[in-house]
Amino acid sequence: MGNRARTMDHVQVSKKSFNPRIVWASIFILINLICMIVILVDRRLLGDTAGVALEAFDMVVPMTIVVISSYIMILGFVFPLFCRIKVRPVPLLIRIGHDNFGLALLFLQLVFIYFFTSTGLFVAGSLSRSESIWSIFWVLINVDTLFFIYYGFFRESRFFLINLGVAIVSNMLRGWSGIFMLIILMESARLVRAKRISFLKIGIGLFFIVILYPLIYIIKLQVRSSFSGSGAEPVFFDLIFFNISDFGYRGYLDLLWISFLQIFERLQLVSSQIVVYQNSTELAAGLSADVITPFWMEGIHGIAYERIFQLQPMQNIGVSLANLIDPFQSDVNWNANPGYASWFFLQPLLSPIYLAYTFVQIFVVIWLVKRMGGGVCAFDMLWFACLLYLVPGWLGSFVLFIHSLIIFYLFHTLARNMSRIRWTVSKPVWSRST
């Protein structure tokens, strides 16, 4: 790397390249429009809410408009507006960030893998809980969100690929496949901005997705089943062999269809938004009875508040919605997409406060990244965080993302100060100012 100065994000961006954010926003909006059409034709809800009766049929189109408006308002208006704010950057030398943070993150990921494989904690669907100091540590130091941030800032690091490989292994061992969505989003954005996208690369990417995703889907389900208390044994390859060998090509296609249908149903927000609307009275009653966590208490700060003052733990809106959808699913821990607009129906009088609260969160993450001199990949990372956390209504996850970004900022500040100290000490005495 030499002594040549570099920015934290040196992706070559073509001035005439198409904005990948527009592409992905359009894809997510299209998914919800398709979902609306299916609901109107079949008169049934999709995804996690498939077992819930569609009572408010006349609200399908209005709820779709509400969902699409959430995408446009947050991703197309608020985020770009705050990005215009001027902040004096205090950038970090690329070598310091690449080496130090990359090695620290790699160490944390490896230790975390040892922790959850030996305890069974932090696995999707697991009912295991712990109050140990190490469990609290991994809640506060979330390696997944730290890796997401690392991806945005230090994609060109020499430690990136090994961190990416460890992150994939870690997520698969815990029954999470969202890491692959993150990779697709971030890499497609880089290729589009650099005008390095082509039909050949798209074709190769689709080929590997078609070949590998059914396997990933089966592994994810089996890991979740193994830790949910259902007593299932890890038989990933037995299940795949059964589908393919007994049913041949048709069985593989059926498995492929089920896998991608699950992705589509999970990404759409229309069904869950309709369920929230249909049950808004019951959910609002849960809020009044301190059973459901209010929006301003979702996240690690709310959990800390409950623990410090020894209050009765409340459920976040996603878990409450899941219990409403399937109240008999007691052997597994899961949640459903609540949607950003849900709080307008649950606490309409607090809507202005809710808007201000979430807008401030967006401002904070943008300010932090601008302060650290983040480049286009870092801002794509922030935009995708809003797409994946904020619009679907995962307020607690977005708070955790902000918390991790603050940790990254503190590391940034510490590393920069240390580099100044090293430079001052190593500078010849006769060259120092008197």
Side-chain angles (χ1 to χ4, degrees), residues 97-113 138 141-152 154 157 159-167 170 404 407-408 411:
H98 278 187
D99 293 353
N100 293 358
F101 193 82
L103 286 172
L105 180 60
L106 180 61
F107 174 76
L108 287 173
Q109 288 200 96
L110 292 173
V111 175
F112 181 58
I113 289 176
W138 292 117
I141 307 298
N142 188 279
V143 294
D144 292 328
T145 48
L146 285 175
F147 173 74
F148 190 9
I149 296 166
Y150 173 74
Y151 204 140
F154 300 132
S157 167
F159 294 108
F160 172 77
L161 289 180
I162 188 172
N163 268 293
L164 176 62
V166 173
S170 175
S404 299
I407 291 176
F408 186 83
F411 171 86

Side-chain angles (χ1 to χ4, degrees), residues 155-223:
R155 170 60 179 82
E156 306 301 323
S157 167
R158 60 175 175 164
F159 294 108
F160 172 77
L161 289 180
I162 188 172
N163 268 293
L164 176 62
V166 173
I168 291 174
V169 172
S170 175
N171 277 264
M172 291 306 298
L173 289 175
R174 286 177 285 138
W176 298 109
S177 60
I179 183 70
F180 297 101
M181 172 61 75
L182 171 63
I183 295 171
I184 291 172
L185 291 172
M186 293 295 291
E187 291 305 308
S188 64
R190 293 181 73 252
L191 291 173
V192 169
R193 290 193 182 281
K195 295 196 71 175
R196 288 160 50 195
I197 198 76
S198 66
F199 287 110
L200 177 61
K201 291 180 179 178
I202 294 175
I204 293 174
L206 290 176
F207 172 78
F208 281 105
I209 291 174
V210 168
I211 294 298
L212 296 177
Y213 189 73
L215 172 63
I216 294 170
Y217 181 63
I218 289 293
I219 293 175
K220 179 185 76 171
L221 291 182
Q222 194 58 48
V223 169

Side-chain angles (χ1 to χ4, degrees), residues 123-151:
V123 178
S126 174
L127 296 174
S128 301
R129 294 291 182 270
S130 173
E131 300 294 331
S132 68
I133 186 66
W134 281 111
S135 180
I136 295 173
F137 174 82
W138 292 117
V139 169
L140 296 176
I141 307 298
N142 188 279
V143 294
D144 292 328
T145 48
L146 285 175
F147 173 74
F148 190 9
I149 296 166
Y150 173 74
Y151 204 140

